Amino acid sequence: MNILDKIVLDKRKEVNLKKLIIPTSQLEASALFERPTNSLAKALQHSDTGIIAEHKRRSPSKAVINQNLNVQDVATGYENAGVCGMSVLTDGKYFGGSMDDLLLARASVNMPLLRKEFIIDEYQILEAKSYGADVILLIAAILSRDEIKAFSEFAKNLNLNVLLEVHNEEELHKSIMPSLDMLGVNNRNLKTFEVSLETSKVLSTIIPDDFVKVSESGISSIDAIQELKNYGYKGFLIGENFMKTENPGNSAQQFINSLKRA
């Protein structure tokens, strides 16, 4: 069993327990549930930098990245830096995140927020909406085509953007459908944790132009972004590169300034 299998197994238990504690009617009654959402896809299309900055405390591949920062400061710093949106990891066991992180980020900023989570149930999509997310992530490696279709259409009915993440050509072919806004290519091999930007380059040629292309993982340099832009990418998810510093907002600001000058 690889790490992704373990995460999904634990996630099913977690979601089943949450359903017993907080009914969907309670989620739908949230003050944030009727909030108009912000489109990350549109923000990326109209941006010359395309940075999606991440809040991530730790990960299975890197252990602790940064446990000392509060999410409000990180969110505010990112927004002031001019990022297009922020990804908030809400998985607790493997990434040290929580739904409160999403809630606190929403209370601090107006930019689009992506709930970065291992979604295996519609309940989590309602949860994302009720805690202030604008975008959900669907991971092709853990979902069937029917699940991707059902979850993405469910999200669209809630006016949420959908970012679908793939790791290879097989996942991409099963995933392409009109209910997605963005197609993300994760450059990290989830079985070995090795990272290669070649994954984004190779898959770019078979992603239809209808979708906003996003490259994820292993992006730490201006050169990498400029290179990927040549392959049609409009979005670049950067987490660890900013989060491993004492002030992620300042790091993002310096990075974006350098990118604009390049």
Side-chain angles (χ1 to χ4, degrees):
M1 189 184 283
N2 64 37
I3 186 68
L4 199 55
D5 296 331
K6 287 177 188 168
I7 291 172
V8 170
L9 199 63
D10 286 332
K11 194 58 60 181
R12 292 198 187 281
K13 293 175 189 169
E14 179 190 312
V15 172
N16 288 338
L17 183 60
K18 276 188 171 182
K19 283 178 170 178
L20 295 174
I21 299 166
I22 304 173
T24 53
S25 57
Q26 193 173 323
L27 294 176
E28 290 167 344
S30 149
L32 289 170
F33 202 80
E34 299 303 323
R35 172 188 155 270
T37 51
N38 298 319
S39 171
L40 177 60
K42 283 182 182 165
L44 293 174
Q45 283 170 321
H46 297 109
S47 170
D48 53 357
T49 58
I51 304 298
I52 306 163
E54 192 155 82
H55 179 266
K56 177 161 65 172
R57 291 188 179 88
R58 56 186 167 86
S59 73
S61 61
K62 294 284 180 182
V64 172
I65 297 164
N66 197 327
Q67 300 273 38
N68 304 320
L69 302 170
N70 72 63
V71 72
Q72 299 103 311
D73 289 346
V74 175
T76 306
Y78 281 157
E79 187 168 60
N80 291 341
V83 303
C84 290
M86 176 175 171
S87 164
V88 183
L89 271 141
T90 58
D91 175 76
K93 182 171 181 179
Y94 295 92
F95 291 87
S98 72
M99 292 306 295
D100 281 346
D101 287 339
L102 183 57
L103 202 58
L104 289 168
R106 179 77 289 152
S108 310
V109 295
N110 294 313
M111 66 180 162
L113 295 180
L114 162 70
R115 181 189 183 188
K116 190 132 182 237
E117 182 56 271
F118 300 85
I119 289 179
I120 41 89
D121 195 293
E122 282 183 358
Y123 180 88
Q124 294 162 287
I125 303 172
L126 283 175
E127 199 176 36
K129 175 76 170 172
S130 71
Y131 277 76
D134 301 283
V135 194
I136 60 155
L137 174 74
L138 297 179
I139 302 171
I142 63 174
L143 300 170
S144 67
R145 181 174 174 82
D146 287 345
E147 285 173 324
I148 293 167
K149 185 173 189 294
F151 294 163
S152 56
E153 288 176 355
F154 186 73
K156 297 308 291 176
N157 287 334
L158 294 172
N159 291 318
L160 293 168
N161 267 187
V162 180
L163 169 62
L164 189 283
E165 175 182 294
V166 299
H167 299 84
N168 55 47
E169 191 172 341
E170 183 188 353
E171 289 175 9
L172 180 59
H173 284 308
K174 82 168 181 185
S175 306
I176 293 173
M177 57 188 73
S179 45
L180 309 175
D181 300 286
M182 295 162 280
L183 270 164
V185 177
N186 193 330
N187 300 304
R188 176 172 282 116
N189 182 313
L190 290 178
K191 294 186 172 73
T192 64
F193 287 120
E194 287 173 2
V195 173
S196 171
L197 295 184
E198 287 303 310
T199 311
S200 281
K201 294 174 187 176
V202 170
L203 293 184
S204 70
T205 57
I206 44 177
I207 298 175
D209 290 335
D210 316 6
F211 305 104
V212 177
K213 297 178 191 177
V214 178
S215 186
E216 309 169 18
S217 295
I219 300 166
S220 58
S221 70
I222 305 298
D223 289 347
I225 288 180
Q226 288 184 312
E227 199 176 347
L228 289 168
K229 279 186 174 184
N230 294 330
Y231 288 84
Y233 285 91
K234 299 286 276 180
F236 310 93
L237 183 69
I238 302 178
E240 190 185 317
N241 203 43
F242 300 147
M243 282 300 294
K244 68 186 180 186
T245 66
E246 287 182 15
N247 191 323
N250 274 359
S251 302
Q253 180 79 71
Q254 289 167 16
F255 191 89
I256 287 171
N257 289 347
S258 300
L259 189 54
K260 284 178 176 176
R261 285 195 301 266

